């Protein structure tokens, strides 16, 4: 009898537990909205997360590519500007080299004068210009006539000195831009140009200056 | 007596389950596999009653042990990324059908026996009358 009671109770409890769990499960399954995120299975959530992640990564790589191309364009622009500057500098250099622009800077001003006995010869000017060029002159002018590669210093009838097909007369002011110390030492060296000119009885003066303007070549 | 206990248990359990809170969907797979295991044990118990070798201890230990084992296997399968619960379902449902077959055969045989007895009785009555 005792065994029968325990059996009854335990089987009843078993039935109770089984139906309780089953109904709980029915309710859970019935009420669960598959699309709701809170009740989604972990694996589904993971899959969703993975897909979003991959999308995010895709977009990120796209952004990186775009930024790269923007950077390329920027660098190209910079390069263009740089090359523009370089070209401008080159043009300026070439112009200054050709003498198409006036130059300003430190240098030397040499003045040759005719005196009662001796006249200044065109060779004196020629040699002076050569000396100055050897001493590193960037620009040379005689009486504000710029000396360029095509310039000539010559004489007509042993009387009239012509520079750049223009007649000039004394005093002859030769301006040169460059290192003034070099100029000074190149001209005043013993047995140098000044010695020669003074030795031949001609008048020469020079003074170094910090601000000399050599005009541009004008035809 | 036992049938009354079963019916009362079922009704009370249904009421409690109907008012129980909804469990998270993640755990509902564990619960479902436990239910299948428990149902298997129940049918096994009925079959053993039919066979006449029912043991309460074996029934109860099977009821709870199988459920817990099924849950543990499902959990392990999730950790191993193998759907072990499928194997558990196959085994439990297969056994359930076997037990149901046993029960069905028993009752059919019983029924046939009853019919045959009735027929025999009639024949005997007829011969007696004759």
């Amino acid at each position: 009898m005792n065994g029968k009671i325990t059996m009854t109770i335990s089987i009843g409890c078993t039935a109770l537990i089984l139906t309780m769990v089953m109904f709980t499960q029915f309710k859970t399954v019935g009420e669960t909205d598959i699309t709701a995120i809170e009740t989604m299975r972990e694996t589904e959530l993971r899959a969703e997360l993975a897909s979003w992640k991959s999308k995010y990564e895709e977009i990120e790589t796209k952004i990186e590519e775009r930024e790269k191309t923007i950077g390329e364009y920027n660098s190209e622009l910079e390069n263009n500007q740089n090359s523009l500057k370089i070209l401008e500098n080159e043009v300026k250099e070439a112009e200054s080299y050709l003498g198409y622009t006036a130059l300003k800077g430190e240098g030397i001003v040499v003045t040759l004068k005719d005196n009662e006995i001796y006249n200044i010869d065109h060779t004196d000017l020629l040699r002076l210009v050569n000396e100055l060029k050897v001493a590193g002159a960037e620009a040379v002018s005689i009486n504000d006539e710029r000396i360029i590669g095509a310039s000539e210093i010559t004489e007509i009838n042993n009387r009239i000195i012509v520079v750049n097909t223009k007649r000039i007369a004394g005093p002859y002011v030769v301006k040169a831009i460059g290192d003034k110390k070099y100029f000074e030492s190149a001209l005043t060296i013993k047995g140098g140009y000044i010695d020669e000119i003074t030795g031949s009885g001609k008048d020469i003066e020079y003074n170094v200056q910090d601000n000399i303007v050599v005009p541009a070549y004008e035809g | 007596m036992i049938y009354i206990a079963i019916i009362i248990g079922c009704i009370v359990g249904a009421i409690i389950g109907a008012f129980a809170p909804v469990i998270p969907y993640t755990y509902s797979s564990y619960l479902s596999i436990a239910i299948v295991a428990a149902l298997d044990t129940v049918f096994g118990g009925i079959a053993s009653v039919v066979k006449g070798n029912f043991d309460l201890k074996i029934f109860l230990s099977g009821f709870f042990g199988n459920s817990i084992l099924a849950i543990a296997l499902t959990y392990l399968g999730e950790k191993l990324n193998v759907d072990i619960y499928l194997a558990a379902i196959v085994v439990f449902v297969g056994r359930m059908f076997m037990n149901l077959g046993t029960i069905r055969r028993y009752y059919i045989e019983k029924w046939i026996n009853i019919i045959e007895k009735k027929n025999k009785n009639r024949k005997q009555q007829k011969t007696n009358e004759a």
Side-chain angles (χ1 to χ4, degrees):
Chain A
M1 193 60 203
N2 211 358
K4 208 169 185 188
I5 287 171
T6 38
M7 193 158 175
T8 312
I9 289 169
S10 43
I11 285 180
C13 284
T14 315
L16 187 142
I17 291 167
L18 182 59
T19 44
M20 188 183 82
V21 174
M22 275 171 76
F23 271 79
T24 312
Q25 180 71 350
F26 292 160
K27 204 180 157 194
T28 305
V29 172
E31 284 190 6
T32 301
D33 186 3
I34 301 284
T35 53
I37 235 175
E38 298 107 46
T39 51
M40 261 179 164
R41 278 170 199 267
E42 223 175 306
T43 47
E44 285 168 24
L45 287 173
R46 267 189 216 138
E48 193 101 334
L49 188 67
S51 77
W52 281 113
K53 239 181 205 171
S54 66
K55 271 183 198 168
Y56 176 77
E57 272 165 19
E58 221 173 81
I59 287 169
E60 199 148 84
T61 51
K62 265 187 194 170
I63 287 171
E64 264 173 32
E65 271 173 30
R66 293 282 185 281
E67 273 176 358
K68 226 184 196 176
T69 47
I70 286 170
E72 272 171 23
Y73 284 142
N74 272 345
S75 66
E76 222 167 89
L77 201 68
E78 235 167 71
N79 278 350
N80 279 349
Q81 279 173 348
N82 281 351
S83 54
L84 198 69
K85 270 183 194 169
I86 289 168
L87 283 178
E88 273 177 2
N89 284 347
E90 274 180 14
V91 167
K92 270 183 192 168
E93 256 175 48
E95 275 182 350
S96 71
Y97 186 71
L98 287 173
Y100 285 123
T101 52
L103 275 186
K104 201 174 173 187
E106 65 166 41
I108 194 165
V109 179
V110 184
T111 312
L112 295 159
K113 278 183 195 161
D114 296 330
N115 57 17
E116 292 84 19
I117 310 159
Y118 296 108
N119 285 333
I120 298 297
D121 206 336
H122 78 280
T123 50
D124 297 333
L125 291 176
L126 204 54
R127 276 178 51 221
L128 177 58
V129 169
N130 278 345
E131 290 283 343
L132 291 171
K133 277 186 177 175
V134 166
E138 282 169 38
V140 182
S141 70
I142 300 172
N143 285 10
D144 288 344
E145 278 300 325
R146 180 73 171 266
I147 305 299
I148 61 166
S151 296
E152 79 291 322
I153 300 166
T154 185
E155 211 173 27
I156 301 170
N157 296 336
N158 294 328
R159 289 295 312 157
I160 306 154
I161 294 175
V162 172
V163 172
N164 287 351
T165 69
K166 279 170 192 149
R167 295 175 185 191
I168 57 168
Y172 307 101
V173 181
V174 178
K175 292 180 189 169
I177 287 176
D179 196 321
K180 54 188 181 185
K181 281 179 194 163
Y182 277 172
F183 290 151
E184 201 176 0
S185 55
L187 295 181
T188 58
I189 193 168
K190 204 171 181 197
Y193 183 75
I194 287 176
D195 273 3
E196 265 180 47
I197 296 293
T198 48
S200 59
K202 291 167 185 173
D203 284 348
I204 183 164
E205 277 173 22
Y206 78 89
N207 57 340
V208 289
Q209 286 175 20
D210 280 334
N211 254 324
I212 298 169
V213 178
V214 173
Y217 176 72
E218 292 160 354
Chain B
M1 189 70 171
I2 287 174
Y3 294 111
I4 293 166
I6 290 170
I7 289 163
I8 289 170
C10 282
I11 291 165
V12 175
I15 290 164
I16 294 172
F19 287 100
V22 175
I23 54 162
Y25 204 82
T26 318
Y27 303 117
S28 80
S29 64
Y30 299 116
L31 206 56
S32 59
I33 201 76
I35 288 167
V36 172
L39 276 176
D40 166 56
T41 314
V42 166
F43 283 111
I46 294 167
S48 62
V49 167
V50 163
K51 281 177 189 166
N53 56 357
F54 179 77
D55 190 343
L56 185 65
K57 285 169 207 152
I58 291 172
F59 175 72
L60 284 180
S61 65
F63 185 82
F64 293 106
N66 272 359
S67 305
I68 290 163
L69 195 67
I71 289 171
L73 275 177
T74 310
Y75 179 75
L76 180 70
E78 198 146 288
K79 288 289 160 217
L80 292 175
N81 199 18
V82 180
D83 293 338
I84 289 179
Y85 70 89
L86 287 176
I89 283 175
V90 168
V91 169
F92 289 140
V93 174
R95 270 224 309 258
M96 240 148 73
F97 276 109
M98 262 168 57
N99 289 331
L100 277 172
T102 312
I103 295 160
R104 192 192 62 227
R105 207 168 295 150
Y106 170 80
Y107 279 106
I108 285 173
E109 276 172 11
K110 214 178 172 183
W111 188 44
I112 288 170
N113 282 345
I114 289 167
I115 289 169
E116 278 180 357
K117 263 185 189 173
K118 274 185 181 174
N119 286 349
K120 269 184 188 173
N121 285 349
R122 272 183 201 166
K123 277 180 187 173
Q124 273 184 354
Q125 275 179 1
K126 276 182 185 174
T127 49
N128 286 348
E129 281 168 12

